[in-house]
Amino acid sequence: MRLRVTVHQKVALGISFLVCGCAIYLLFRSKTLNIYSWCSALGLSSFIDTLRIWVRNWNIPDFVRFCLPDGLYCAAYILLIDAIWHKDKGIIKIIIILLVPLVTISSELLQLFGKVRGTFDIYDLVCYSFPLLVYLSIICYQHYTVKMQKQACV
C-alpha cells in the first residue's frame, strides 16, 4: 500500500495547522505578541476580544498554550513547502524542507547549553522534532515501497 497525499490535501492540512496555531495564540496567549497587532491592522480586534471572553474560563494545559502552536507551525511549514515543491524530487527540496525544523531544533538545543538566549523546553523540542520525524518516516516509506515495487518487477 502506497501512502499518497495530494498537493491540495497538503495545502489544506498546512493551512489548518497554521489556523489552529494562530487560534491558540490569539485565544490563550498574551496580547503583546505580534499576531495581535496584525489582527488589529485587519480590524479583527473586537472579534478576537469577544472570542477571548468566551474561552477565558477554559483550562488548557501549558503544553497546548505554549508548545503545540510551534509544532503546528513547523508541520505547516513542512507540508506547504512540500506542496509548493511537489514536482521536485531533488536534494534542494529536502534542504529547504529541513531548514526551518533543523534551525528550530538547533536553537532549542543551544538554549539547553546556554549558547542562545531563551529557556530550553523539552516539549518545544518534541513539538519541533515530531513533524520532521513523521515527514522523514513517510519519505523513507515511500522510497522503500518504490524500491520494492521495482525489485518485484525484475
Side-chain angles (χ1 to χ4, degrees), residues 41-127:
L42 295 171
L44 299 172
S45 293
S46 61
F47 175 70
I48 292 167
D49 289 340
T50 302
L51 292 176
R52 287 176 67 92
I53 290 169
W54 286 353
V55 301
R56 71 175 168 234
N57 293 325
W58 291 14
N59 189 14
I60 64 166
D62 284 348
F63 169 79
V64 172
R65 183 184 320 248
F66 297 109
C67 303
L68 184 60
D70 295 335
L72 291 170
Y73 297 147
C74 189
Y77 171 83
I78 291 169
L79 287 165
L80 293 172
I81 294 299
D82 191 59
I84 291 167
W85 288 63
H86 72 277
K87 291 184 180 179
D88 192 323
K89 305 295 181 210
I91 191 71
I92 298 296
K93 172 185 174 180
I94 299 299
I95 291 170
I96 291 171
I97 288 173
L98 294 177
L99 186 65
V100 167
L102 291 180
V103 167
T104 56
I105 290 166
S106 299
S107 174
E108 198 64 34
L109 290 172
L110 289 170
Q111 288 175 18
L112 174 64
F113 299 109
K115 302 297 182 188
V116 171
R117 205 174 98 210
T119 303
F120 171 77
D121 188 335
I122 189 68
Y123 296 116
D124 282 343
L125 186 60
V126 169
C127 284

Side-chain angles (χ1 to χ4, degrees), residues 3 75 78 128-141:
L3 185 59
I78 291 169
Y128 295 140
S129 302
F130 187 72
L132 181 60
L133 293 173
V134 169
Y135 179 77
L136 292 174
S137 298
I138 290 169
I139 295 301
C140 289
Y141 175 77

Side-chain angles (χ1 to χ4, degrees), residues 9 15 24 26 39-40 51-52 67 75 127 136:
Q9 289 169 327
I15 290 171
I24 293 169
L26 289 170
C39 290
S40 179
L51 292 176
R52 287 176 67 92
C67 303
C127 284
L136 292 174

